[in-house]
Amino acid sequence: MNIIWLGHGSFRIEIEDQVVLVDPWLTGNPMLPENQHKAAITGATQILVTHAHFDHIADVVQISKDTGAPLSGMYELAMHLHAQGAVEGAMFNMGGTIALGDKVSASMVPASHSSTAAVDGVQRYMGTESGFILRGEGHCIYISGDTGLMADMAWIGDYYKPDIGILSAGGHFTMDMDMAAYATRTYFNFNVVIPCHYRTMPMLEQSAEALINGVLPGTSVLEPQVMEAITL
């Protein structure tokens, strides 16, 4: 399994026979050079969206059209994006689980954030923000999406028992590194933690040092590098 950071909150996850893009942001993403945009999305078979902010959905309709990858996410948001021309995937909601191919599943779990998009020049709510549990190749991955620290992490950790955490941890808009470390040691038993939604801009945290120093022994914090695969 390869987990490939596209910068900010965007990932390419190659798992089983699927290539899953999570919130793929290309246009205007300061961390992903334009000459790597094609490689970032080539072969995509699925697109998952966590919420409607521009830095998560700006390119998803065009990517879906270009790759043929169906787009799945929160009911209202997915409906909106399908109406814009994205290939229809699943419109689902909290607690729901969908199949991605024959061997991979995605379950929707809560996040604590907001979810709006501009429609005809007016900001509209697009359903509730979310995270995902992705399962395949014997792994269970918790993708937090943009979120603050929240009590729901207790049951997410206890029920799904994820071994890998992809956590928003840049602060300002989401948890910071210290909060992500607290969540990791309090609510989860991860083998591996991968921080994201940081380093994109000056207002966000630039280092994962507080997360690295704050997790319990036995938990590995892997700082991702853009377009470099973390193979697990």
Side-chain angles (χ1 to χ4, degrees):
M1 179 177 66
N2 292 317
I3 298 175
I4 302 168
W5 192 36
L6 308 182
H8 202 53
S10 305
F11 281 88
R12 174 190 175 100
I13 301 176
E14 300 169 354
I15 181 170
E16 301 284 2
D17 59 347
Q18 299 296 302
V19 176
V20 183
L21 302 180
V22 181
D23 293 347
W25 179 31
L26 307 181
T27 306
N29 181 344
M31 301 196 73
L32 186 66
E34 188 172 351
N35 63 9
Q36 293 187 317
H37 287 187
K38 183 177 180 180
I41 66 172
T42 295
T45 61
Q46 307 283 341
I47 300 171
L48 295 176
V49 289
T50 63
H51 68 291
H53 289 159
F54 77 94
D55 51 340
H56 295 259
I57 69 162
D59 299 289
V60 295
V61 171
Q62 192 60 51
I63 292 170
S64 181
K65 289 178 179 179
D66 290 345
T67 62
L71 180 148
S72 300
M74 166 59 60
Y75 189 94
E76 290 81 1
L77 176 57
M79 179 184 293
H80 170 71
L81 295 172
H82 295 162
Q84 304 306 307
V87 178
E88 290 192 19
M91 300 181 294
F92 65 132
N93 215 307
M94 296 303 159
T97 298
I98 62 172
L100 306 179
D102 295 328
K103 299 180 180 179
V104 180
S105 68
S107 302
M108 186 177 290
V109 295
S112 179
H113 194 59
S114 60
S115 183
T116 59
V119 180
D120 298 327
V122 178
Q123 289 293 321
R124 304 289 189 188
Y125 269 92
M126 290 287 166
T128 307
E129 60 277 9
S130 68
F132 293 108
I133 295 289
L134 195 65
R135 287 176 283 198
E137 295 197 28
H139 290 288
C140 181
I141 307 169
Y142 170 49
I143 302 168
S144 75
D146 286 13
T147 189
L149 185 66
M150 59 177 184
D152 280 299
M153 291 175 176
W155 72 259
I156 293 170
D158 185 57
Y159 184 81
Y160 291 105
K161 295 179 173 54
D163 61 304
I164 300 168
I166 298 176
L167 306 181
S168 58
H172 196 82
F173 299 107
T174 71
M175 296 185 292
D176 59 19
M177 293 294 172
D178 186 65
M179 288 181 179
Y182 175 88
T184 296
R185 65 178 184 264
T186 303
Y187 299 126
F188 298 101
N189 189 26
F190 296 129
N191 294 325
V192 171
V193 176
I194 301 170
C196 67
H197 213 280
Y198 77 121
R199 290 167 41 195
T200 319
M201 54 196 73
M203 70 177 64
L204 301 182
E205 293 208 34
Q206 303 298 306
S207 168
E209 182 177 359
L211 176 59
I212 293 168
N213 293 334
V215 299
L216 296 174
T219 302
S220 297
V221 177
L222 303 181
E223 287 203 73
Q225 301 302 319
V226 172
M227 291 300 289
E228 293 185 11
I230 295 173
T231 302
L232 298 170

